[in-house]
Amino acid sequence: MEQVTIGMIGGGTVGSGVYNALKLNRALMERRLGIKINLLKIAVKAFDEPRPYPIPRGLLTTNWREVVEDPRVQIIIELVGGTTIARDIILTALKLGKPVITANKALLSAYGEELFSAAATNNANIYYEASVAGGIPIIKAIREAFVGNRITHIYGIVNGTCNYILTKMKEEGSDFAQVLEQAQKQGYAEAEPSLDVDGWDSMHKIGILASLAHGFWVSPEKIFVEGIRPVSLMDIRFAEQLGYTIKLLGIVKQIDSTASKGKSSRIQVSVYPALIPSSHVLARINDIFNAVFVRGNIVGETLFFGRGAGKDATASAVLSDIADAALDLKYETKSRLRPFVSHEKNGEIVPIGEVKSQYYIRLAVVDKPGVLAKISTIFGDSKISIASVIQPESRETEIVPLIMMIHSAPNSAMEKALSKIEKLPVVKSKPVMLRVENF
Amino acid sequence: MEQVTIGMIGGGTVGSGVYNALKLNRALMERRLGIKINLLKIAVKAFDEPRPYPIPRGLLTTNWREVVEDPRVQIIIELVGGTTIARDIILTALKLGKPVITANKALLSAYGEELFSAAATNNANIYYEASVAGGIPIIKAIREAFVGNRITHIYGIVNGTCNYILTKMKEEGSDFAQVLEQAQKQGYAEAEPSLDVDGWDSMHKIGILASLAHGFWVSPEKIFVEGIRPVSLMDIRFAEQLGYTIKLLGIVKQIDSTASKGKSSRIQVSVYPALIPSSHVLARINDIFNAVFVRGNIVGETLFFGRGAGKDATASAVLSDIADAALDLKYETKSRLRPFVSHEKNGEIVPIGEVKSQYYIRLAVVDKPGVLAKISTIFGDSKISIASVIQPESRETEIVPLIMMIHSAPNSAMEKALSKIEKLPVVKSKPVMLRVENF
């Protein structure tokens, strides 16, 4: 049986997960592949850092160059995270013509084009199934299984921390701050939670999926991002009454119908908390689970569900990439599937202002007659139509919530209308605006 | 750009779907792959048979050998169905060293080993993503994405007709016969529905998934199969009260814990209607949709959802196989992924009698004291424990239903106990027994 020799940089959560998964399943995997897998060396930050699964001392080094530059090592797995050393590691490996496996979405988001171009120049390859949605094989699905589809819609719950927080807020009736604290204690949220709760991590992932689906590289600065901090328990409850559930979604939507005729590809790429119908399968994806809903013009609706993070689920994706990289080495087909194929010259991201959405609006208004008329007039003047209004019964307070569901309108028009509404003397706080996705 | 030339046998529902999908998306697919795709010829039963998408007359022939034996044709797509001519077509193509793409689960179920061996002998390959669950890339997921996982559980809703019937029975409160008739009118069920409603189609599919996951070929005669005819509206309603939904499941379960240590692989492979918790995501899969729940020892729980049949969804899977076959031709790696890898020498199917299940039992009993005692005694003597009992209030009839939920017990013990119970004078009809899957 042939053998491939692998070196890994990173021995923390995911790294030790990969070590453990190989320990458990290496023999099975080798029989399936017909290739022996030899994990020769692992570079770590410190020998004695705490890790979920122990790694024998003999495999460890603290010098990543020792791994990458070892002539016996044929495939490099980069699991250090971040965008500095990780970039050096990958570029060094590629320059040596060594294929790289990475779970690093932040790095791909920021430096994808540079890395892919380095892979092409050096006849190497980059495998990154583990970078989006952990154990869910969504990269393989989009690149390979749906290669014959124009992908018209992607809706992804791709951040487990946010999904956990929104689920607990709804189930326990707690507010954001409380649940965040609880999630931090349980290890589901970082001490500095911004990467997750402000939507940046989802942005990294949805940008990668958008790029693969639409064939032009989507720069992160073109992605509109809103996190879950603006979602209050009150909004979760009103949404529930209206038959909706609030989820943080990464969204990739083909805007132009002409695109289906092969003309051009104008797409929306955004991350925001959205109201989705509670009957939709995505609304049932709870806790730390991830799911990606994909619609193709041939396959129709599909959904992929699983664990989006964690030592084991992510390791499963890394093992899948090890298999592909090993086969590509064995058959000398290092560029069989290039890490990114630019196949849409005229692709463009539609700015959020031009995107049409439906909306949920919550206002805090003075409880007296004529208020609704004033607000409706502003919407009417902006050619925005109201689908429904809920005014919960006043509990003898002077300021009451007013909920409005709004038909499809451009985001720029909505923003202008809301800034006018905010200035009305009867409106007592900044309007809450959440988008509604009815699929 | 290199080119591959393809010939197709079958121009009916799926065949014309593939033709149409290529017409729509060929240019996109070619840009993604870097390979031109030339569909040269299509063999059909009759030039003027009705088909959902028209195919130009110039592409058609009624002689399949003309397609398979054309030296220009490099890849054969077999979409005629059945197990006679389809087998000839595939064997003929393989003997010519031509890779074959097929959606034919019945053929693979019956002749898989013969066909795979012919592929190996002739250095060709068989691609069959379209054979299980239509547009859902479940073959790719199990073979490639989860290559590093021991697959401990598969629960598949893999027959759209049955899922449609069970969904409508529940939603509309209709009985099986009514809904079947309606499904036949709408084209969701065949005039001869046995293949679907008696579970045979699910058996073909789950046998293929079981074989791939566990590495030994599962003969169909070893699969326990029960269709949906025994499911009555009354059972759907009682299940609902108990918090369950009834679905026809294809089930592959690892039985032995020793298997996880790589010792052996004793598995249950069955098809039967089962009560599953209504809160589980599989219970939400309705109408004609399919879904496959897969648990791996590394990745944990995953689920794949989509359309399991139909001209377009199945075409999407065929296009995915065209891409893989085209890449394998381009890179001369025809056996990169063999159609089946035997990797478990000691694999064995546990007979249903030895499988432990939980159960839902419905009896029709005489409405008088002491009945429950008699039944409980038989269960007790058989070491079967009752989890709960529901005796709906009598509506002044003499015969009343008695519902029992039963803890885990071997199927053989349950069968024996039920045959004793059936003979009790107070039991007035054949007991209804459905299995319960709590995941």
Side-chain angles (χ1 to χ4, degrees):
Chain A
M1 209 187 273
E2 284 183 56
Q3 175 175 291
V4 293
T5 298
I6 297 171
M8 186 156 78
I9 326 291
T13 304
V14 178
S16 73
V18 170
Y19 172 78
N20 178 64
L22 273 177
K23 202 172 85 173
L24 280 177
N25 293 353
R26 182 200 310 259
L28 174 64
M29 201 172 148
E30 289 176 343
R31 289 198 304 275
R32 285 175 174 163
L33 283 175
I35 302 173
K36 282 208 158 300
I37 296 158
N38 176 24
L39 179 54
L40 188 71
K41 250 184 218 175
I42 304 172
V44 293
K45 254 184 274 178
F47 291 124
D48 53 357
E49 66 187 341
R51 42 183 75 96
Y53 301 109
I55 303 177
R57 180 69 171 77
L59 284 177
L60 299 181
T61 165
T62 52
N63 177 5
W64 65 261
R65 290 189 183 275
E66 203 185 296
V67 176
V68 173
E69 291 167 2
D70 187 322
R72 293 168 299 173
V73 171
Q74 298 166 285
I75 298 171
I76 305 298
I77 306 176
E78 179 278 304
L79 298 172
V80 300
T83 56
T84 52
I85 302 173
R87 179 165 160 260
D88 286 348
I89 292 167
I90 294 182
L91 288 172
T92 307
L94 293 174
K95 272 175 202 149
L96 292 166
K98 298 187 184 186
V100 172
I101 294 166
T102 178
N104 196 329
K105 48 241 144 206
L107 182 67
L108 289 174
S109 174
Y111 297 102
E113 289 189 293
E114 180 195 13
L115 298 174
F116 297 152
S117 139
T121 309
N122 297 288
N123 186 30
N125 206 339
I126 302 176
Y127 303 83
Y128 50 102
E129 183 61 71
S131 71
V132 180
I136 303 173
I138 192 65
I139 305 275
K140 202 174 257 293
I142 288 180
R143 295 211 300 172
E144 302 178 40
F146 298 157
V147 63
N149 282 266
R150 187 168 288 279
I151 307 294
T152 59
H153 301 77
I154 300 175
Y155 297 94
I157 296 175
V158 289
N159 183 277
T161 305
C162 288
N163 205 36
Y164 177 85
I165 291 173
L166 292 173
T167 303
K168 291 299 165 201
M169 286 173 74
K170 185 173 179 178
E171 283 176 0
E172 297 173 1
S174 314
D175 65 23
F176 174 79
Q178 266 178 300
V179 179
L180 174 61
E181 204 189 310
Q182 181 188 329
Q184 285 167 325
K185 277 185 194 153
Q186 293 176 301
Y188 293 152
E190 303 286 337
E192 208 310 86
S194 176
L195 179 69
D196 294 313
V197 304
D198 292 325
W200 306 116
D201 174 72
S202 296
M203 178 194 79
H204 297 150
K205 294 166 178 170
I206 207 69
I208 293 170
L209 296 185
S211 304
L212 289 176
H214 289 279
F216 62 98
W217 196 253
V218 175
S219 319
E221 65 272 19
K222 298 229 168 147
I223 304 176
F224 174 78
V225 180
E226 206 176 275
I228 62 168
R229 291 189 210 257
V231 180
S232 71
L233 179 58
M234 208 193 298
D235 297 315
I236 289 175
R237 289 286 173 256
F238 283 127
E240 208 173 353
Q241 278 180 40
L242 291 158
Y244 290 92
T245 301
I246 300 177
K247 294 288 181 189
L248 183 70
L249 295 184
I251 296 176
V252 186
K253 249 194 267 190
Q254 184 179 285
I255 300 285
D256 264 348
S257 61
T258 52
S260 63
K261 290 166 198 139
K263 291 272 169 57
S264 78
S265 196
R266 298 190 77 225
I267 55 172
Q268 171 194 355
V269 186
S270 319
V271 173
Y272 48 72
L275 279 72
I276 62 176
S278 295
S279 58
H280 194 276
V281 62
L282 266 185
R284 314 283 186 178
I285 309 303
N286 286 326
D287 302 313
I288 55 156
F289 282 98
N290 282 18
V292 185
F293 177 93
V294 181
R295 188 196 284 267
N297 72 334
I298 305 296
V299 74
E301 296 181 359
T302 65
L303 181 116
F304 299 80
F305 162 89
R307 280 175 196 275
K311 55 192 189 307
D312 299 320
T314 311
S316 171
V318 171
L319 263 53
S320 162
D321 276 347
I322 291 177
D324 281 346
L327 286 167
D328 285 341
L329 270 184
K330 174 175 173 177
Y331 289 104
E332 296 176 2
T333 54
K334 274 190 197 171
S335 307
R336 186 178 188 269
L337 290 181
R338 279 176 287 153
F340 177 68
V341 177
S342 162
H343 60 75
E344 181 59 80
K345 280 180 196 151
N346 304 313
E348 93 187 66
I349 307 294
V350 178
I352 189 70
E354 292 174 33
V355 170
K356 283 187 183 175
S357 306
Q358 297 168 277
Y359 308 87
Y360 157 98
I361 305 292
R362 177 168 58 81
L363 304 172
V365 298
V366 175
D367 188 17
K368 65 179 184 187
V371 169
L372 186 56
K374 286 198 176 81
I375 293 162
S376 308
T377 303
I378 294 177
F379 278 135
D381 290 347
S382 312
K383 292 181 182 161
I384 291 170
S385 25
I386 299 166
S388 62
V389 175
I390 306 182
Q391 194 146 20
E393 223 172 330
S394 160
R395 296 169 212 150
E396 298 175 27
T397 53
E398 285 181 359
I399 313 292
V400 294
L402 175 69
I403 315 301
M404 310 179 106
M405 298 295 281
I406 307 287
H407 285 302
S408 183
N411 277 259
S412 55
M414 176 53 77
E415 199 187 322
K416 272 183 211 151
L418 283 182
S419 74
K420 283 183 198 157
I421 287 169
E422 190 178 351
K423 283 176 199 138
L424 290 175
V426 294
V427 171
K428 292 301 179 191
S429 68
K430 193 172 161 53
V432 170
M433 186 267 276
L434 295 169
R435 294 170 189 82
V436 180
E437 298 291 333
N438 275 309
F439 302 98
Chain B
M1 212 187 272
E2 284 183 57
Q3 175 176 289
V4 292
T5 299
I6 297 171
M8 186 156 76
I9 326 290
T13 304
V14 179
S16 72
V18 170
Y19 173 79
N20 179 66
L22 274 177
K23 203 173 85 174
L24 281 176
N25 292 353
R26 183 198 311 257
L28 174 65
M29 201 171 148
E30 290 175 343
R31 289 199 303 276
R32 285 175 174 163
L33 283 175
I35 303 174
K36 281 210 160 302
I37 295 158
N38 176 25
L39 179 54
L40 188 71
K41 250 183 218 176
I42 303 172
V44 292
K45 253 184 275 177
F47 291 125
D48 53 358
E49 63 186 344
R51 42 183 73 95
Y53 300 109
I55 303 177
R57 181 69 171 76
L59 283 179
L60 299 181
T61 166
T62 53
N63 177 5
W64 65 261
R65 290 187 184 276
E66 205 185 294
V67 177
V68 174
E69 291 166 2
D70 186 322
R72 294 169 298 175
V73 171
Q74 300 166 284
I75 298 170
I76 304 298
I77 307 177
E78 179 278 307
L79 298 171
V80 298
T83 56
T84 54
I85 302 173
R87 181 164 159 260
D88 286 348
I89 292 167
I90 294 182
L91 287 172
T92 306
L94 293 174
K95 272 176 202 148
L96 292 165
K98 297 186 184 185
V100 172
I101 294 166
T102 179
N104 196 329
K105 48 240 145 205
L107 183 66
L108 289 174
S109 173
Y111 296 102
E113 289 190 292
E114 179 196 13
L115 299 174
F116 298 152
S117 140
T121 309
N122 296 289
N123 187 30
N125 207 338
I126 303 177
Y127 303 82
Y128 50 100
E129 184 62 71
S131 71
V132 180
I136 304 173
I138 191 65
I139 304 274
K140 201 173 259 294
I142 287 180
R143 293 212 299 175
E144 302 178 40
F146 297 157
V147 64
N149 282 266
R150 187 168 289 277
I151 308 293
T152 58
H153 302 76
I154 300 175
Y155 297 93
I157 295 175
V158 290
N159 183 277
T161 305
C162 288
N163 205 35
Y164 177 83
I165 291 173
L166 292 173
T167 303
K168 290 301 164 197
M169 285 174 73
K170 183 172 179 180
E171 282 176 0
E172 297 172 3
S174 314
D175 65 24
F176 174 78
Q178 267 179 299
V179 179
L180 175 60
E181 204 190 309
Q182 182 190 327
Q184 284 167 327
K185 277 185 193 151
Q186 292 176 301
Y188 292 152
E190 303 287 336
E192 209 310 87
S194 176
L195 180 69
D196 294 314
V197 303
D198 292 325
W200 307 117
D201 174 71
S202 296
M203 177 193 77
H204 298 149
K205 294 165 177 167
I206 208 69
I208 293 170
L209 296 185
S211 304
L212 289 175
H214 289 278
F216 62 99
W217 195 253
V218 175
S219 319
E221 66 270 18
K222 297 229 170 149
I223 305 176
F224 174 77
V225 180
E226 207 176 273
I228 62 169
R229 291 190 210 255
V231 179
S232 72
L233 179 58
M234 207 193 297
D235 298 316
I236 289 175
R237 288 287 173 254
F238 283 127
E240 208 174 352
Q241 277 181 38
L242 291 158
Y244 290 93
T245 300
I246 300 178
K247 294 288 183 190
L248 183 70
L249 296 184
I251 296 176
V252 185
K253 248 194 265 190
Q254 184 179 286
I255 300 286
D256 264 349
S257 61
T258 52
S260 63
K261 290 168 198 136
K263 291 270 168 59
S264 79
S265 197
R266 297 190 77 224
I267 55 171
Q268 171 193 357
V269 186
S270 320
V271 173
Y272 47 71
L275 278 74
I276 62 176
S278 295
S279 58
H280 193 275
V281 62
L282 267 185
R284 315 284 187 177
I285 310 303
N286 286 325
D287 302 315
I288 56 156
F289 282 98
N290 282 18
V292 184
F293 176 94
V294 180
R295 187 195 285 265
N297 73 333
I298 305 298
V299 74
E301 297 181 0
T302 65
L303 181 116
F304 299 81
F305 162 90
R307 282 175 193 274
K311 54 191 191 303
D312 299 321
T314 311
S316 170
V318 171
L319 263 55
S320 161
D321 276 346
I322 291 175
D324 281 345
L327 286 167
D328 285 340
L329 271 183
K330 174 173 173 179
Y331 289 104
E332 298 176 359
T333 54
K334 274 188 195 172
S335 306
R336 185 178 190 271
L337 290 180
R338 280 175 288 152
F340 177 67
V341 178
S342 164
H343 59 75
E344 182 56 80
K345 279 180 198 152
N346 305 313
E348 96 190 62
I349 307 295
V350 178
I352 187 72
E354 292 175 31
V355 170
K356 283 186 182 174
S357 306
Q358 297 168 277
Y359 308 87
Y360 157 99
I361 306 291
R362 177 168 57 81
L363 303 171
V365 298
V366 175
D367 188 18
K368 66 179 184 190
V371 169
L372 186 56
K374 286 198 177 80
I375 293 161
S376 308
T377 303
I378 293 177
F379 278 135
D381 291 347
S382 312
K383 292 179 181 161
I384 292 171
S385 21
I386 299 166
S388 62
V389 175
I390 307 183
Q391 194 149 18
E393 225 172 328
S394 161
R395 294 169 212 151
E396 296 174 28
T397 53
E398 285 179 1
I399 313 292
V400 294
L402 175 70
I403 314 301
M404 309 178 108
M405 298 296 280
I406 308 288
H407 284 303
S408 182
N411 277 257
S412 55
M414 176 53 77
E415 200 186 320
K416 273 182 211 153
L418 283 182
S419 72
K420 282 182 199 159
I421 287 169
E422 192 178 350
K423 284 178 198 136
L424 290 174
V426 294
V427 171
K428 292 303 181 189
S429 68
K430 195 174 158 52
V432 170
M433 187 266 273
L434 295 170
R435 293 169 190 82
V436 180
E437 297 292 334
N438 275 309
F439 302 98

